[in-house]
């Protein structure tokens, strides 16, 4: 009898979730530490590089779907670059939902191709993100 009730309750939760449009996604609202200077960014970053950045057609879901950028390293300012080209994304300054495209209040700071100084943290093996949403300097 208990198995029948447990299975029925699980089915009811799934049915209610599908009817309300809830895909059991997780939401995240990050409150970033205020870092206003390149010295503060350098202190917090595991890796600081100058790189030529271009947008790719690839995405990654890290509490929301981010467009990946390919950063070809031209100079290492801090740390050790694990490869000549890094997969990088700029974290959103807005709340995000897993499985949904992220939004930015002023746009993705890496969308325009060019030379940048990137202040990075390794999100997971081989995937890098800016330490805070605006931790990037345009070099050209």
């Amino acid at each position: 009898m208990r198995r029948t009730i447990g299975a029925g309750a699980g089915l009811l939760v799934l049915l209610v979730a599908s009817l309300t449009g809830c895909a059991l996604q997780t939401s995240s609202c990050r409150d970033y530490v205020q870092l206003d200077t390149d010295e503060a960014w350098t202190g917090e970053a595991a890796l600081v590089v100058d790189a030529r950045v271009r947008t790719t057609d690839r995405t990654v879901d890290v509490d929301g779907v981010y467009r990946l950028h390919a950063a070809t390293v031209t100079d290492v300012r801090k740390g050790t670059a694990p490869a000549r080209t890094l997969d990088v994304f700029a974290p959103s300054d807005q709340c995000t939902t897993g499985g949904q495209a992220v939004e930015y209040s002023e746009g993705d700071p890496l969308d325009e191709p060019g030379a940048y100084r990137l202040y990075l943290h390794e999100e997971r093996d081989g995937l890098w993100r800016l330490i805070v949403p605006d931790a990037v300097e345009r070099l050209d």
Side-chain angles (χ1 to χ4, degrees), residues 74-97:
T74 57
D75 190 23
V76 177
R77 304 299 208 143
K78 177 184 176 182
T80 303
R84 183 159 189 265
T85 301
L86 306 173
D87 285 333
V88 176
F89 71 94
S92 175
D93 55 358
Q94 304 293 304
C95 293
T96 60
T97 302

Side-chain angles (χ1 to χ4, degrees), residues 1-10:
M1 178 78 167
R2 284 186 175 190
R3 269 190 238 164
T4 305
I5 292 172

Side-chain angles (χ1 to χ4, degrees), residues 4-133:
T4 305
I5 292 172
L11 184 58
L12 180 61
V13 167
L14 187 58
L15 178 62
V16 169
S18 66
L19 290 175
T20 62
C22 176
L24 301 177
Q25 300 169 336
T26 59
S27 292
S28 173
C29 293
R30 294 186 183 184
D31 190 18
Y32 292 98
V33 174
Q34 189 66 29
L35 300 172
D36 294 331
T37 65
D38 58 346
E39 290 86 14
W41 293 342
T42 299
E44 290 295 318
L47 179 64
V48 180
V49 297
D50 293 347
R52 299 289 308 168
V53 176
R54 65 177 174 77
T55 301
T56 72
D57 60 354
R58 296 177 294 129
T59 60
V60 63
D61 191 343
V62 180
D63 295 330
V65 178
Y66 290 90
R67 180 166 307 281
L68 283 177
H69 304 278
T72 302
V73 177
T74 57
D75 190 23
V76 177
R77 304 299 208 143
K78 177 184 176 182
T80 303
R84 183 159 189 265
T85 301
L86 306 173
D87 285 333
V88 176
F89 71 94
S92 175
D93 55 358
Q94 304 293 304
C95 293
T96 60
T97 302
Q100 299 296 315
V102 299
E103 295 180 5
Y104 299 88
S105 60
E106 296 182 22
D108 184 338
L110 299 175
D111 264 352
E112 190 175 322
Y116 293 90
R117 179 160 299 146
L118 307 172
Y119 299 84
L120 301 168
H121 170 77
E122 190 169 20
E123 181 70 28
R124 58 181 184 238
D125 189 38
L127 178 62
W128 295 83
R129 68 168 169 81
L130 299 179
I131 58 168
V132 292

